[in-house]
Amino acid sequence: MPKVKLGLLLLIVALIFAGCGLSKSNVLEKLVSKEEGKYTMHIFSASQDWNFEVNKVHNSEPALLKYIQQVTIHSENDKLKWLKALGQEEKRPVILIFDTEKMVFQTNDPEKLREFAKTLEK
């Protein structure tokens, strides 16, 4: 009888953890903008120097300052799972920009943000 209880307990625990995986919709909910016409920028990086380069470009582009309402740096290794859930490589550094529904821009070159800024002013 104790073996049956233990087996049942292990089965319940396994089912609970199987349902706790990251889905694309769960990750998107955490990353998308909450305001129509605005964007969020998420930087996945462990390098302070690279983050500084992104910040320098962001601050030098008026369109980015106007339309990007939130910038978040994710340096934790467990956040790489978010990239996988989004169908991206689990690789840093990368910049992802989201509107209220989906990812609209991705790059691993901070200077490419300037190109994105030009699209915002159209």
PDB file of all heavy atoms in Angstrom, residues 62-87:
ATOM      1  N   PRO A  62      15.815  60.002 -31.054  1.00  0.00           N
ATOM      2  CA  PRO A  62      14.561  60.555 -30.521  1.00  0.00           C
ATOM      3  C   PRO A  62      13.346  59.646 -30.723  1.00  0.00           C
ATOM      4  O   PRO A  62      12.482  59.563 -29.845  1.00  0.00           O
ATOM      5  CB  PRO A  62      14.394  61.864 -31.283  1.00  0.00           C
ATOM      6  CG  PRO A  62      15.781  62.239 -31.685  1.00  0.00           C
ATOM      7  CD  PRO A  62      16.500  60.951 -31.931  1.00  0.00           C
ATOM      8  N   ALA A  63      13.275  58.950 -31.838  1.00  0.00           N
ATOM      9  CA  ALA A  63      12.124  58.078 -32.091  1.00  0.00           C
ATOM     10  C   ALA A  63      12.086  56.924 -31.094  1.00  0.00           C
ATOM     11  O   ALA A  63      11.003  56.523 -30.635  1.00  0.00           O
ATOM     12  CB  ALA A  63      12.161  57.536 -33.514  1.00  0.00           C
ATOM     13  N   LEU A  64      13.248  56.382 -30.775  1.00  0.00           N
ATOM     14  CA  LEU A  64      13.288  55.295 -29.790  1.00  0.00           C
ATOM     15  C   LEU A  64      12.854  55.815 -28.423  1.00  0.00           C
ATOM     16  O   LEU A  64      12.089  55.158 -27.708  1.00  0.00           O
ATOM     17  CB  LEU A  64      14.684  54.677 -29.709  1.00  0.00           C
ATOM     18  CG  LEU A  64      15.181  53.966 -30.972  1.00  0.00           C
ATOM     19  CD1 LEU A  64      16.608  53.476 -30.775  1.00  0.00           C
ATOM     20  CD2 LEU A  64      14.264  52.821 -31.370  1.00  0.00           C
ATOM     21  N   LEU A  65      13.332  56.983 -28.056  1.00  0.00           N
ATOM     22  CA  LEU A  65      12.956  57.565 -26.769  1.00  0.00           C
ATOM     23  C   LEU A  65      11.454  57.855 -26.703  1.00  0.00           C
ATOM     24  O   LEU A  65      10.827  57.709 -25.657  1.00  0.00           O
ATOM     25  CB  LEU A  65      13.752  58.847 -26.510  1.00  0.00           C
ATOM     26  CG  LEU A  65      15.249  58.648 -26.280  1.00  0.00           C
ATOM     27  CD1 LEU A  65      15.967  59.992 -26.264  1.00  0.00           C
ATOM     28  CD2 LEU A  65      15.508  57.883 -24.995  1.00  0.00           C
ATOM     29  N   LYS A  66      10.890  58.236 -27.835  1.00  0.00           N
ATOM     30  CA  LYS A  66       9.471  58.576 -27.883  1.00  0.00           C
ATOM     31  C   LYS A  66       8.570  57.343 -27.831  1.00  0.00           C
ATOM     32  O   LYS A  66       7.547  57.348 -27.141  1.00  0.00           O
ATOM     33  CB  LYS A  66       9.191  59.371 -29.163  1.00  0.00           C
ATOM     34  CG  LYS A  66       7.748  59.784 -29.336  1.00  0.00           C
ATOM     35  CD  LYS A  66       7.578  60.604 -30.610  1.00  0.00           C
ATOM     36  CE  LYS A  66       6.135  60.984 -30.852  1.00  0.00           C
ATOM     37  NZ  LYS A  66       5.974  61.747 -32.108  1.00  0.00           N
ATOM     38  N   TYR A  67       8.939  56.287 -28.556  1.00  0.00           N
ATOM     39  CA  TYR A  67       8.039  55.147 -28.716  1.00  0.00           C
ATOM     40  C   TYR A  67       8.333  53.942 -27.824  1.00  0.00           C
ATOM     41  O   TYR A  67       7.451  53.121 -27.610  1.00  0.00           O
ATOM     42  CB  TYR A  67       8.012  54.686 -30.183  1.00  0.00           C
ATOM     43  CG  TYR A  67       7.346  55.689 -31.072  1.00  0.00           C
ATOM     44  CD1 TYR A  67       8.100  56.533 -31.897  1.00  0.00           C
ATOM     45  CD2 TYR A  67       5.964  55.821 -31.097  1.00  0.00           C
ATOM     46  CE1 TYR A  67       7.491  57.461 -32.720  1.00  0.00           C
ATOM     47  CE2 TYR A  67       5.344  56.756 -31.917  1.00  0.00           C
ATOM     48  CZ  TYR A  67       6.116  57.570 -32.716  1.00  0.00           C
ATOM     49  OH  TYR A  67       5.500  58.496 -33.526  1.00  0.00           O
ATOM     50  N   ILE A  68       9.527  53.827 -27.330  1.00  0.00           N
ATOM     51  CA  ILE A  68       9.829  52.690 -26.451  1.00  0.00           C
ATOM     52  C   ILE A  68       9.558  53.123 -25.015  1.00  0.00           C
ATOM     53  O   ILE A  68      10.242  53.973 -24.470  1.00  0.00           O
ATOM     54  CB  ILE A  68      11.272  52.190 -26.635  1.00  0.00           C
ATOM     55  CG1 ILE A  68      11.409  51.597 -28.030  1.00  0.00           C
ATOM     56  CG2 ILE A  68      11.624  51.156 -25.560  1.00  0.00           C
ATOM     57  CD1 ILE A  68      12.764  51.049 -28.369  1.00  0.00           C
ATOM     58  N   GLN A  69       8.528  52.524 -24.436  1.00  0.00           N
ATOM     59  CA  GLN A  69       8.094  52.923 -23.106  1.00  0.00           C
ATOM     60  C   GLN A  69       8.839  52.220 -21.990  1.00  0.00           C
ATOM     61  O   GLN A  69       8.843  52.708 -20.858  1.00  0.00           O
ATOM     62  CB  GLN A  69       6.595  52.675 -22.939  1.00  0.00           C
ATOM     63  CG  GLN A  69       6.228  51.201 -22.867  1.00  0.00           C
ATOM     64  CD  GLN A  69       4.757  50.979 -22.551  1.00  0.00           C
ATOM     65  OE1 GLN A  69       3.969  51.902 -22.594  1.00  0.00           O
ATOM     66  NE2 GLN A  69       4.408  49.756 -22.240  1.00  0.00           N
ATOM     67  N   GLN A  70       9.464  51.092 -22.294  1.00  0.00           N
ATOM     68  CA  GLN A  70      10.134  50.335 -21.242  1.00  0.00           C
ATOM     69  C   GLN A  70      11.309  49.578 -21.838  1.00  0.00           C
ATOM     70  O   GLN A  70      11.197  48.975 -22.904  1.00  0.00           O
ATOM     71  CB  GLN A  70       9.151  49.341 -20.615  1.00  0.00           C
ATOM     72  CG  GLN A  70       9.746  48.436 -19.575  1.00  0.00           C
ATOM     73  CD  GLN A  70       8.733  47.396 -19.094  1.00  0.00           C
ATOM     74  OE1 GLN A  70       7.542  47.507 -19.359  1.00  0.00           O
ATOM     75  NE2 GLN A  70       9.208  46.393 -18.413  1.00  0.00           N
ATOM     76  N   VAL A  71      12.429  49.613 -21.131  1.00  0.00           N
ATOM     77  CA  VAL A  71      13.612  48.836 -21.511  1.00  0.00           C
ATOM     78  C   VAL A  71      13.974  47.952 -20.329  1.00  0.00           C
ATOM     79  O   VAL A  71      14.092  48.436 -19.201  1.00  0.00           O
ATOM     80  CB  VAL A  71      14.807  49.756 -21.853  1.00  0.00           C
ATOM     81  CG1 VAL A  71      16.041  48.917 -22.174  1.00  0.00           C
ATOM     82  CG2 VAL A  71      14.463  50.688 -23.002  1.00  0.00           C
ATOM     83  N   THR A  72      14.130  46.660 -20.596  1.00  0.00           N
ATOM     84  CA  THR A  72      14.477  45.712 -19.541  1.00  0.00           C
ATOM     85  C   THR A  72      15.690  44.913 -19.973  1.00  0.00           C
ATOM     86  O   THR A  72      15.736  44.418 -21.102  1.00  0.00           O
ATOM     87  CB  THR A  72      13.306  44.745 -19.248  1.00  0.00           C
ATOM     88  OG1 THR A  72      12.130  45.510 -18.971  1.00  0.00           O
ATOM     89  CG2 THR A  72      13.621  43.849 -18.068  1.00  0.00           C
ATOM     90  N   ILE A  73      16.654  44.798 -19.073  1.00  0.00           N
ATOM     91  CA  ILE A  73      17.836  43.976 -19.331  1.00  0.00           C
ATOM     92  C   ILE A  73      17.672  42.665 -18.577  1.00  0.00           C
ATOM     93  O   ILE A  73      17.454  42.666 -17.370  1.00  0.00           O
ATOM     94  CB  ILE A  73      19.122  44.691 -18.892  1.00  0.00           C
ATOM     95  CG1 ILE A  73      19.305  45.971 -19.699  1.00  0.00           C
ATOM     96  CG2 ILE A  73      20.336  43.770 -19.044  1.00  0.00           C
ATOM     97  CD1 ILE A  73      20.433  46.858 -19.220  1.00  0.00           C
ATOM     98  N   HIS A  74      17.772  41.577 -19.316  1.00  0.00           N
ATOM     99  CA  HIS A  74      17.669  40.235 -18.730  1.00  0.00           C
ATOM    100  C   HIS A  74      19.057  39.607 -18.763  1.00  0.00           C
ATOM    101  O   HIS A  74      19.548  39.235 -19.819  1.00  0.00           O
ATOM    102  CB  HIS A  74      16.692  39.369 -19.529  1.00  0.00           C
ATOM    103  CG  HIS A  74      15.322  39.956 -19.653  1.00  0.00           C
ATOM    104  ND1 HIS A  74      14.396  39.909 -18.640  1.00  0.00           N
ATOM    105  CD2 HIS A  74      14.732  40.626 -20.673  1.00  0.00           C
ATOM    106  CE1 HIS A  74      13.282  40.508 -19.033  1.00  0.00           C
ATOM    107  NE2 HIS A  74      13.467  40.948 -20.268  1.00  0.00           N
ATOM    108  N   SER A  75      19.679  39.525 -17.609  1.00  0.00           N
ATOM    109  CA  SER A  75      21.024  38.942 -17.552  1.00  0.00           C
ATOM    110  C   SER A  75      21.011  37.539 -16.946  1.00  0.00           C
ATOM    111  O   SER A  75      22.023  36.846 -16.960  1.00  0.00           O
ATOM    112  CB  SER A  75      21.964  39.842 -16.743  1.00  0.00           C
ATOM    113  OG  SER A  75      21.462  40.018 -15.432  1.00  0.00           O
ATOM    114  N   GLU A  76      19.879  37.108 -16.449  1.00  0.00           N
ATOM    115  CA  GLU A  76      19.786  35.805 -15.799  1.00  0.00           C
ATOM    116  C   GLU A  76      19.750  34.680 -16.835  1.00  0.00           C
ATOM    117  O   GLU A  76      19.092  34.792 -17.863  1.00  0.00           O
ATOM    118  CB  GLU A  76      18.516  35.704 -14.935  1.00  0.00           C
ATOM    119  CG  GLU A  76      18.324  36.827 -13.963  1.00  0.00           C
ATOM    120  CD  GLU A  76      17.537  37.995 -14.545  1.00  0.00           C
ATOM    121  OE1 GLU A  76      17.254  38.008 -15.759  1.00  0.00           O
ATOM    122  OE2 GLU A  76      17.231  38.910 -13.776  1.00  0.00           O
ATOM    123  N   ASN A  77      20.441  33.598 -16.536  1.00  0.00           N
ATOM    124  CA  ASN A  77      20.478  32.460 -17.458  1.00  0.00           C
ATOM    125  C   ASN A  77      19.104  31.834 -17.655  1.00  0.00           C
ATOM    126  O   ASN A  77      18.790  31.357 -18.745  1.00  0.00           O
ATOM    127  CB  ASN A  77      21.465  31.402 -16.972  1.00  0.00           C
ATOM    128  CG  ASN A  77      22.898  31.806 -17.219  1.00  0.00           C
ATOM    129  OD1 ASN A  77      23.193  32.540 -18.151  1.00  0.00           O
ATOM    130  ND2 ASN A  77      23.801  31.360 -16.369  1.00  0.00           N
ATOM    131  N   ASP A  78      18.260  31.825 -16.608  1.00  0.00           N
ATOM    132  CA  ASP A  78      16.951  31.188 -16.760  1.00  0.00           C
ATOM    133  C   ASP A  78      16.046  31.929 -17.743  1.00  0.00           C
ATOM    134  O   ASP A  78      15.116  31.350 -18.300  1.00  0.00           O
ATOM    135  CB  ASP A  78      16.259  31.009 -15.406  1.00  0.00           C
ATOM    136  CG  ASP A  78      15.957  32.324 -14.707  1.00  0.00           C
ATOM    137  OD1 ASP A  78      16.744  33.270 -14.844  1.00  0.00           O
ATOM    138  OD2 ASP A  78      14.915  32.389 -14.027  1.00  0.00           O
ATOM    139  N   LYS A  79      16.325  33.193 -18.004  1.00  0.00           N
ATOM    140  CA  LYS A  79      15.516  33.946 -18.975  1.00  0.00           C
ATOM    141  C   LYS A  79      15.819  33.513 -20.407  1.00  0.00           C
ATOM    142  O   LYS A  79      15.062  33.836 -21.317  1.00  0.00           O
ATOM    143  CB  LYS A  79      15.759  35.453 -18.829  1.00  0.00           C
ATOM    144  CG  LYS A  79      15.331  36.011 -17.481  1.00  0.00           C
ATOM    145  CD  LYS A  79      13.829  36.046 -17.344  1.00  0.00           C
ATOM    146  CE  LYS A  79      13.339  36.479 -15.989  1.00  0.00           C
ATOM    147  NZ  LYS A  79      13.496  37.853 -15.649  1.00  0.00           N
ATOM    148  N   LEU A  80      16.906  32.781 -20.609  1.00  0.00           N
ATOM    149  CA  LEU A  80      17.198  32.263 -21.943  1.00  0.00           C
ATOM    150  C   LEU A  80      16.098  31.309 -22.403  1.00  0.00           C
ATOM    151  O   LEU A  80      15.852  31.160 -23.596  1.00  0.00           O
ATOM    152  CB  LEU A  80      18.563  31.571 -21.969  1.00  0.00           C
ATOM    153  CG  LEU A  80      19.772  32.478 -21.757  1.00  0.00           C
ATOM    154  CD1 LEU A  80      21.054  31.662 -21.737  1.00  0.00           C
ATOM    155  CD2 LEU A  80      19.855  33.556 -22.826  1.00  0.00           C
ATOM    156  N   LYS A  81      15.407  30.691 -21.462  1.00  0.00           N
ATOM    157  CA  LYS A  81      14.285  29.804 -21.795  1.00  0.00           C
ATOM    158  C   LYS A  81      13.170  30.589 -22.471  1.00  0.00           C
ATOM    159  O   LYS A  81      12.420  30.050 -23.268  1.00  0.00           O
ATOM    160  CB  LYS A  81      13.764  29.113 -20.533  1.00  0.00           C
ATOM    161  CG  LYS A  81      14.756  28.166 -19.920  1.00  0.00           C
ATOM    162  CD  LYS A  81      14.261  27.625 -18.609  1.00  0.00           C
ATOM    163  CE  LYS A  81      15.356  26.806 -17.954  1.00  0.00           C
ATOM    164  NZ  LYS A  81      15.056  26.501 -16.573  1.00  0.00           N
ATOM    165  N   TRP A  82      13.066  31.885 -22.152  1.00  0.00           N
ATOM    166  CA  TRP A  82      12.064  32.724 -22.807  1.00  0.00           C
ATOM    167  C   TRP A  82      12.360  32.809 -24.294  1.00  0.00           C
ATOM    168  O   TRP A  82      11.454  32.779 -25.115  1.00  0.00           O
ATOM    169  CB  TRP A  82      12.049  34.116 -22.195  1.00  0.00           C
ATOM    170  CG  TRP A  82      11.480  34.202 -20.821  1.00  0.00           C
ATOM    171  CD1 TRP A  82      11.112  33.164 -20.004  1.00  0.00           C
ATOM    172  CD2 TRP A  82      11.204  35.387 -20.095  1.00  0.00           C
ATOM    173  NE1 TRP A  82      10.643  33.648 -18.820  1.00  0.00           N
ATOM    174  CE2 TRP A  82      10.684  35.000 -18.840  1.00  0.00           C
ATOM    175  CE3 TRP A  82      11.363  36.731 -20.372  1.00  0.00           C
ATOM    176  CZ2 TRP A  82      10.304  35.928 -17.875  1.00  0.00           C
ATOM    177  CZ3 TRP A  82      10.986  37.656 -19.408  1.00  0.00           C
ATOM    178  CH2 TRP A  82      10.451  37.253 -18.178  1.00  0.00           C
ATOM    179  N   LEU A  83      13.648  32.926 -24.637  1.00  0.00           N
ATOM    180  CA  LEU A  83      14.029  32.988 -26.052  1.00  0.00           C
ATOM    181  C   LEU A  83      13.595  31.720 -26.772  1.00  0.00           C
ATOM    182  O   LEU A  83      13.064  31.776 -27.879  1.00  0.00           O
ATOM    183  CB  LEU A  83      15.536  33.202 -26.189  1.00  0.00           C
ATOM    184  CG  LEU A  83      16.080  34.527 -25.663  1.00  0.00           C
ATOM    185  CD1 LEU A  83      17.604  34.540 -25.738  1.00  0.00           C
ATOM    186  CD2 LEU A  83      15.495  35.705 -26.418  1.00  0.00           C
ATOM    187  N   LYS A  84      13.829  30.588 -26.139  1.00  0.00           N
ATOM    188  CA  LYS A  84      13.448  29.307 -26.742  1.00  0.00           C
ATOM    189  C   LYS A  84      11.930  29.246 -26.948  1.00  0.00           C
ATOM    190  O   LYS A  84      11.461  28.822 -28.003  1.00  0.00           O
ATOM    191  CB  LYS A  84      13.908  28.147 -25.857  1.00  0.00           C
ATOM    192  CG  LYS A  84      13.631  26.799 -26.452  1.00  0.00           C
ATOM    193  CD  LYS A  84      14.171  25.689 -25.596  1.00  0.00           C
ATOM    194  CE  LYS A  84      13.923  24.343 -26.237  1.00  0.00           C
ATOM    195  NZ  LYS A  84      14.432  23.250 -25.406  1.00  0.00           N
ATOM    196  N   ALA A  85      11.168  29.693 -25.955  1.00  0.00           N
ATOM    197  CA  ALA A  85       9.706  29.683 -26.073  1.00  0.00           C
ATOM    198  C   ALA A  85       9.234  30.572 -27.219  1.00  0.00           C
ATOM    199  O   ALA A  85       8.200  30.309 -27.832  1.00  0.00           O
ATOM    200  CB  ALA A  85       9.071  30.127 -24.757  1.00  0.00           C
ATOM    201  N   LEU A  86      10.004  31.611 -27.527  1.00  0.00           N
ATOM    202  CA  LEU A  86       9.660  32.517 -28.630  1.00  0.00           C
ATOM    203  C   LEU A  86      10.159  32.008 -29.980  1.00  0.00           C
ATOM    204  O   LEU A  86       9.980  32.666 -31.001  1.00  0.00           O
ATOM    205  CB  LEU A  86      10.253  33.909 -28.373  1.00  0.00           C
ATOM    206  CG  LEU A  86       9.671  34.669 -27.187  1.00  0.00           C
ATOM    207  CD1 LEU A  86      10.516  35.903 -26.893  1.00  0.00           C
ATOM    208  CD2 LEU A  86       8.223  35.040 -27.438  1.00  0.00           C
ATOM    209  N   GLY A  87      10.823  30.858 -29.977  1.00  0.00           N
ATOM    210  CA  GLY A  87      11.351  30.303 -31.220  1.00  0.00           C
ATOM    211  C   GLY A  87      12.694  30.886 -31.613  1.00  0.00           C
ATOM    212  O   GLY A  87      13.110  30.776 -32.766  1.00  0.00           O
TER     213      GLY A  87
END
